[in-house]
Amino acid sequence: MTPRLAAAALLLWLPANNAESPIRFIPQTVDFTLESCETPERHAPETMAGGVALFDYDNDGDLDIFFTNGANIRTLKKDSPKYSNRLLANDGKGHFTDVTQKAGLAGSGFDNGVAVGDYDNDGYPDLFVGGVHRNTLYHNNRDGTFTDVTAKAGLNRPDPEYGPLWSVGGAWVDVNNDGLLDLFVTNYLSWNIDAEPPCMAQGRREYCHPKFYKKLPNQLFLNNGDGTFKDISAESGIRAHPGKGMGAGVADYDLDGFMDIFVANDKVYNSLFHNKGNGRFEEVALAAGVALVESGEFISGMGVDFRDLDNDGYPDIAVVALDDETFPMFKNTGKGEFIDITSGSRMGPLSLQMAGYSPNIADFDDDGRKDLFVSRGHVQSPLAEPRIKVAQHNTVFHARPNFTFEAFTAEAGFTALPQRRHRGAAVGDLNGDGRLDVVVTAISAPAELWINASPGGNHWLALQLEGTKSNRSAIGARIRLVSSSGTQYDHVSTAAGYASSSAAPVHLGLGKDAQAELIEIRWPSGRVQQVKNVSSDQVLKIKEPPE
């Protein structure tokens, strides 16, 4: 029996999920609608828009929201105010004010994804915005405004071989541990509006299968420390492995002190770039067991998150895909390889009928185990209904003690809003109550804020780390927390999901434990810091100590 058939068979005897969800959300809408310029011609970028970021742009202690937005699909220009990107400032209570124009973040092209990182170590987060045939780097001016520094940074040079590239975002990561954040750019398909293949379904144009488009290489830009970047895509080994990237996750999967990069690809092999520590990467996805799912089939790899799910100290990988493909889950063995546990974790049968875009690993009920939120929706247009279930509700997969999951949709509150074609998602505590909230975008629909109202009264800690010798954003710092209930692990990364970025403090649930006995931080510089006997229910700021 194939893994797919096995998952289908298992689904038949799984009991209906009548359990009361320990994770619950209350919906709130904000004044932003994702406009991707959807047309009857079904141009590919129209269905791939929707990145979102949560970050504290003004350093007032509250998480703000940035939405990317589309443009006129033929000109790739924002020729109408409806296509403006949007920055919403948080008042600390989950209420938001539009400050886009003042901030200078309206944008000018068809913007797809966003990545947050303080690339110049000035203490204020900057934004990389990836898009169709144009990327933008915005420098945070520390006064509530941003400046487009793309040309100055050297990030606007066309590719001599592939021509205009289509980026769905990227990830900030210090690949050489020099204290400066480098930029990995995730590129999707080679797309030309005048060469769009006509793909028909039921007598109408539909969005085409990715097989009709050529692969693109991802890019790696090394931070020179003077506001400029050097393209090391070829010499690093990244460029030699083109794909159809829809999500990038960064983690030190083999604990050798250097951050590695996993790319979820659409209907081709996934990529795992192992950092060799000398500015070079080797692509090891096949050998590591993450190039394909257990059945050996290609899937529509969408977003990805790369974190330690089972608290054994080694980062695991969660990917989402379309219906009949399941949401693959790869467990890190700690021996340089992964095993596919999609069926054993129950993720396979639970997700078999679902289509997902943005997976986000986080502890939503603060019980000390990381859960998985997935924004759901199909790639096809609404006219594909009812042949394909296009609009869907979001789902949260609650982690159980034995490293299996249970899926909650209606039980978690997600049916309070209509089914939609959801896309990007970002996670953070928007109202300061110690519970993680979620922001989600949807094609041609208002953005959704899912305010966490989970019961249980569990304790938590949020760690806001600041590097000194390490990059100031502390991206790559590894965390071990010990409390009376056990040990858990996490690391700092702003890359998660599809085209999105969560630049919030690292949030750890403590369950009924009122304090953490030990917090150990392994900084990217190699320094190890310990903090003992920390009371729960606070945002704890920790600065990397001097030598």
Side-chain angles (χ1 to χ4, degrees):
M1 182 179 288
T2 67
R4 176 180 289 187
L5 291 175
L10 182 57
L11 184 66
L12 294 177
W13 60 260
L14 278 175
N17 192 5
N18 296 319
E20 182 177 355
S21 174
I23 303 172
R24 300 179 200 169
F25 293 92
I26 297 172
Q28 177 181 326
T29 57
V30 291
D31 185 20
F32 172 77
T33 296
L34 178 58
E35 300 283 358
S36 63
C37 194
E38 202 159 20
T39 66
E41 290 76 29
R42 304 299 182 217
H43 299 297
E46 298 167 6
T47 192
M48 295 296 178
V52 57
L54 283 180
F55 74 124
D56 186 2
Y57 87 98
D58 52 1
N59 280 359
D60 66 351
D62 306 313
L63 291 175
D64 311 296
I65 308 174
F66 176 77
F67 294 104
T68 64
N69 209 352
N72 183 312
I73 193 64
R74 180 149 291 278
T75 64
L76 299 181
K77 294 181 179 179
K78 296 185 186 297
D79 55 13
S80 168
K82 70 179 182 180
Y83 294 126
S84 172
N85 299 332
R86 197 71 59 86
L87 177 64
L88 303 181
N90 189 353
D91 68 354
K93 300 177 181 179
H95 304 118
F96 297 88
T97 302
D98 189 336
V99 295
T100 311
Q101 294 303 318
K102 176 186 176 182
L105 289 176
S108 58
F110 196 112
D111 294 320
N112 210 135
V114 55
V116 177
D118 182 4
Y119 74 87
D120 59 350
N121 289 330
D122 67 353
Y124 283 75
D126 311 297
L127 293 179
F128 169 77
V129 177
V132 183
H133 301 172
R134 175 188 174 91
N135 296 327
T136 309
L137 179 63
Y138 291 102
H139 177 256
N140 191 327
N141 299 323
R142 299 184 291 177
D143 60 0
T145 68
F146 291 77
T147 298
D148 181 344
V149 295
T150 315
K152 175 185 175 183
L155 298 177
N156 65 335
R157 299 185 179 96
D159 190 281
E161 180 181 354
Y162 290 87
L165 302 178
W166 172 7
S167 163
V168 294
W172 291 101
V173 53
D174 185 356
V175 299
N176 56 1
N177 291 341
D178 66 350
L180 300 169
L181 287 179
D182 311 301
L183 178 63
F184 180 86
V185 178
T186 311
N187 291 314
Y188 184 39
L189 303 173
S190 180
W191 177 79
N192 181 341
I193 193 169
D194 295 320
E196 190 81 74
C199 297
M200 308 299 293
Q202 297 178 316
R204 295 185 296 265
R205 291 279 289 264
E206 258 301 348
Y207 295 114
C208 290
H209 190 285
K211 68 183 179 182
F212 291 100
Y213 307 87
K214 294 181 180 179
K215 301 176 184 178
L216 289 179
N218 300 301
Q219 296 166 286
L220 181 61
F221 295 92
L222 195 68
N223 192 333
N224 294 320
D226 59 0
T228 68
F229 292 79
K230 177 185 178 182
D231 187 345
I232 62 167
S233 307
E235 62 193 79
S236 68
I238 298 289
R239 187 179 175 87
H241 302 278
K244 298 177 181 180
M246 288 193 66
V250 295
D252 180 5
Y253 78 89
D254 57 351
L255 308 188
D256 66 353
F258 294 94
M259 295 291 278
D260 312 297
I261 304 168
F262 175 87
V263 179
N265 284 312
D266 194 359
K267 290 293 188 180
V268 295
Y269 294 104
N270 296 323
S271 302
L272 179 59
F273 295 106
H274 175 245
N275 190 339
K276 299 172 70 174
N278 55 1
R280 301 289 190 273
F281 288 78
E282 55 181 343
E283 203 291 302
V284 297
L286 197 59
V290 296
L292 294 168
V293 294
E294 191 175 24
S295 66
E297 298 175 285
F298 291 127
I299 65 167
S300 307
M302 302 296 196
V304 59
D305 206 351
F306 198 171
R307 293 187 184 276
D308 184 356
L309 271 162
D310 58 350
N311 285 327
D312 66 352
Y314 290 91
D316 310 297
I317 298 173
V319 181
V320 294
L322 298 182
D323 50 298
D324 294 326
E325 297 177 337
T326 75
F327 297 165
M329 189 164 284
F330 299 98
K331 174 179 168 53
N332 191 333
T333 67
K335 300 176 181 179
E337 59 186 13
F338 296 76
I339 54 174
D340 188 330
I341 60 162
T342 311
S343 294
S345 66
R346 298 179 80 243
M347 187 61 66
L350 291 173
S351 65
L352 187 63
Q353 303 302 319
M354 300 179 180
Y357 254 85
S358 191
N360 295 80
I361 296 172
D363 185 354
F364 291 104
D365 60 346
D366 288 335
D367 66 352
R369 295 184 297 272
K370 299 182 190 71
D371 313 295
L372 181 69
F373 169 86
V374 177
S375 69
R376 289 174 51 198
H378 205 281
V379 68
Q380 296 293 12
S381 77
L383 295 179
E385 298 268 13
R387 178 177 56 90
I388 295 173
K389 187 61 179 172
V390 177
Q392 301 187 18
H393 292 299
N394 301 313
T395 297
V396 64
F397 296 87
H398 176 247
R400 303 195 298 185
N402 58 353
F403 199 30
T404 62
F405 293 85
E406 50 192 344
F408 294 113
T409 301
E411 305 91 337
F414 292 123
T415 55
L417 292 180
Q419 298 181 89
R420 290 168 174 157
R421 290 179 289 164
H422 297 101
R423 294 299 185 256
V427 173
D429 184 357
L430 291 170
N431 55 7
D433 68 353
R435 293 174 289 190
L436 291 172
D437 312 302
V438 187
V439 182
V440 188
T441 65
I443 299 288
S444 303
E448 302 169 358
L449 270 64
W450 292 100
I451 302 301
N452 193 332
S454 299
N458 286 329
H459 296 292
W460 55 277
L461 270 174
L463 306 183
Q464 185 172 324
L465 305 188
E466 179 184 333
T468 53
K469 185 177 181 181
S470 304
N471 68 87
R472 189 157 179 171
S473 299
I475 288 175
R478 288 164 30 211
I479 299 164
R480 180 170 70 98
L481 182 146
V482 180
S483 66
S484 59
S485 297
T487 302
Q488 55 183 297
Y489 298 84
D490 210 333
H491 70 278
V492 181
S493 172
T494 65
Y498 171 71
S500 298
S501 197
S502 298
V506 177
H507 186 99
L508 299 135
L510 296 181
K512 301 307 178 184
D513 298 344
Q515 73 169 14
E517 298 168 3
L518 171 69
I519 299 171
E520 181 180 85
I521 301 163
R522 292 185 176 270
W523 297 89
S525 66
R527 295 171 181 166
V528 178
Q529 181 179 5
Q530 292 187 343
V531 182
K532 298 182 178 180
N533 300 322
V534 178
S535 297
S536 64
D537 305 330
Q538 63 168 314
V539 178
L540 181 66
K541 296 182 179 180
I542 302 177
K543 189 172 183 178
E544 182 181 15
E547 291 184 86

